[in-house]
Amino acid sequence: MSRVFNFSAGPAALPEEVLEQARDEMLDYRGTGMSVMEMSHRSRAFIDIAEQAEADLIELLAIPDDYKVLFLQGGATTQFAMVPMNLLDGAARADYVNTGSWSTKAISEAGRFCDVNVVASAESTAFDRVPDFSSWTFSSDAAYLHICSNETIGGVQFHEIPDGFSCPLVADMSSDILSRPVDVGRFGLIYAGAQKNIGPAGLTVVIIRRDLLGRAGPGVPSMLDYAVHAEADSMSNTPPTYAWYLAGLVFRWLKRQGGLAGIAEINRRKAAKLYAAIDASNFYTSPVVAANRSEMNVPFTLPDPDLDKAFLSAAEEAGLTNLKGHRSVGGMRASLYNAVPEAAVDALVACMAEFENDHG
Ligand SMILES: Cc1ncc(COP(=O)(O)O)c(C=O)c1O
């Protein structure tokens, strides 16, 4: 067996220990004589799995008691609609910050439900930054303020939580949840597709302050109403049981890494190594201003796009895969999620140096 260093933006690398545990428990989950995939979501065995995963997530993120954790489906894209459907509560407007592709998509979807005030946008500088907080123009009657804490495609990340507004803060944390400690109490709602730092695709985690439950309008389908899912502990219909189980294994693994403080230190070191290599060369370039560079997704370009193909082949040969940048921006992108080991970054940096030597 040979496993590659996988820099995919998502679905992404999972911790090897987690995959091994899932393999070992595949055919006979702890004496039940069946796989977790084959179990009723109402069985004692699965309810224990679900409750343990939730408790571990609450502990990892230090989620306060006045929040509810939901294990849903539909991806973060469904949240682009569920957020306005549930939080507008009769208001006509919501505030959004535009830091890149995913913010743009969230804004476009919200526009189906309300008037969207774009508080700040980095579009004029090719989404290379988080606009300075002092320039943000809030509306007085917004139901909530939405940010994308980490733009997976552009590689732009918030390193501070904004303030200076009175409505609830909503964050799409799909690509940086669980990568570092976060003060959940500063948010009204956090959502994340699982397929980067949580587990496999098919699961979406929502963390919502309880006072924001029960605000969906009468026309909102029950499956899109947070209160319905909260009331049923995310078992209002059949949840994505296997993805939930795997997420639980990932949470356990994270606790063994020293929790979010422990993994944050490793993540900081990994990203610093790669950015240092980019900045030290006259060959590779980061398109993002230093203050807002993402520790999870690191885009970089070569001096000539004609070299991209050769770089990708050299990387593949060295066992480094999924480095091609998103089709909308080109160049390269290395996603350094929790499960990407530091050795992967070391190997990438070595490969970059060698390629520069040969082509620089
Ligand atoms: C920041 C961010 N938001 C939203 C999405 C969309 O997620 P999904 O494909 O789970 O709907 C992604 C997917 O990569 C993402 O990175």
Side-chain angles (χ1 to χ4, degrees):
M1 184 187 73
S2 92
R3 285 182 50 85
V4 291
F5 285 135
N6 181 5
F7 295 94
S8 169
L14 283 166
E16 223 161 88
E17 274 175 52
V18 164
L19 297 174
E20 283 165 356
Q21 189 178 345
R23 176 198 60 201
D24 293 346
E25 295 179 336
M26 174 68 78
L27 293 181
D28 177 10
Y29 177 78
R30 302 187 191 178
T32 57
M34 63 178 86
S35 155
V36 174
M37 273 180 269
E38 303 169 294
M39 262 173 209
S40 163
H41 58 297
R42 313 253 178 234
S43 63
R44 188 66 251 167
F46 186 75
I47 289 173
D48 287 347
I49 290 170
E51 288 179 351
Q52 187 64 52
E54 182 179 345
D56 287 334
L57 181 62
I58 288 170
E59 186 184 328
L60 280 166
L61 277 165
I63 300 173
D65 289 344
D66 56 334
Y67 285 75
K68 180 69 184 165
V69 178
L70 303 175
F71 291 84
L72 307 180
Q73 302 180 60
T77 306
T78 300
Q79 294 308 309
F80 293 166
M82 276 179 80
V83 165
M85 285 172 127
N86 283 267
L87 300 191
L88 280 172
D89 197 18
R93 201 176 335 276
D95 280 353
Y96 278 71
V97 179
N98 193 354
T99 47
S101 306
W102 290 111
S103 304
T104 302
K105 288 204 161 97
I107 288 167
S108 159
E109 188 70 4
R112 298 163 64 99
F113 302 94
C114 65
D115 174 36
V116 174
N117 170 44
V118 178
V119 167
S121 171
E123 192 171 5
S124 64
T125 54
F127 294 123
D128 65 344
R129 68 191 64 205
V130 174
D132 198 74
F133 292 169
S134 63
S135 70
W136 294 16
T137 52
F138 303 110
S139 42
S140 57
D141 54 353
Y144 60 88
L145 168 67
H146 181 282
I147 62 168
C148 175
S149 60
N150 186 67
E151 288 283 355
T152 321
I153 294 173
V156 169
Q157 186 175 27
F158 280 76
H159 293 298
E160 269 175 65
I161 301 173
D163 56 18
F165 49 91
S166 51
C167 60
L169 178 61
V170 174
D172 175 359
M173 284 196 194
S174 293
S175 49
D176 66 351
I177 195 165
L178 297 176
S179 67
R180 57 185 179 180
V182 58
D183 185 355
V184 173
R186 301 272 302 274
F187 296 83
L189 189 150
I190 292 168
Y191 63 89
Q195 63 272 22
K196 294 115 175 15
N197 268 340
I198 295 175
L203 173 70
T204 312
V205 168
V206 171
I207 302 165
I208 181 169
R209 215 174 59 210
R210 290 179 195 270
D211 65 298
L212 298 175
L213 291 166
R215 298 185 179 199
V220 171
S222 53
M223 278 299 92
L224 300 180
D225 182 343
Y226 293 130
V228 169
H229 291 289
E231 180 65 27
D233 285 325
S234 309
M235 302 241 189
S236 174
N237 70 327
T238 314
T241 51
Y242 199 73
W244 193 334
Y245 154 74
L246 272 183
L249 298 188
V250 171
F251 300 157
R252 286 270 146 143
W253 173 82
L254 262 177
K255 285 169 76 172
R256 295 197 294 278
Q257 312 310 305
L260 299 194
I263 204 76
E265 202 180 309
I266 300 168
N267 286 335
R268 217 170 294 131
R269 211 163 52 222
K270 280 162 28 189
K273 268 185 189 174
L274 183 48
Y275 285 117
I278 293 168
D279 289 342
S281 95
N282 291 320
F283 190 79
Y284 303 104
T285 309
S286 160
V288 180
V289 300
N292 303 130
R293 286 176 176 175
S294 169
E295 290 181 351
M296 292 288 100
N297 311 97
V298 181
F300 60 92
T301 53
L302 280 65
D304 179 354
D306 285 346
L307 288 170
D308 287 359
K309 229 172 130 191
F311 180 87
L312 288 166
S313 324
E316 284 289 342
E317 227 159 87
L320 312 172
T321 197
N322 286 321
L323 282 162
K324 192 171 191 300
H326 190 269
R327 59 190 180 280
S328 64
V329 290
M332 304 300 143
R333 171 178 50 170
S335 295
L336 309 180
Y337 300 125
N338 292 342
V340 174
E342 199 162 344
V345 178
D346 293 337
L348 172 59
V349 167
C351 171
M352 287 165 70
E354 200 179 317
F355 190 85
E356 180 176 355
N357 243 350
D358 293 346
H359 297 86

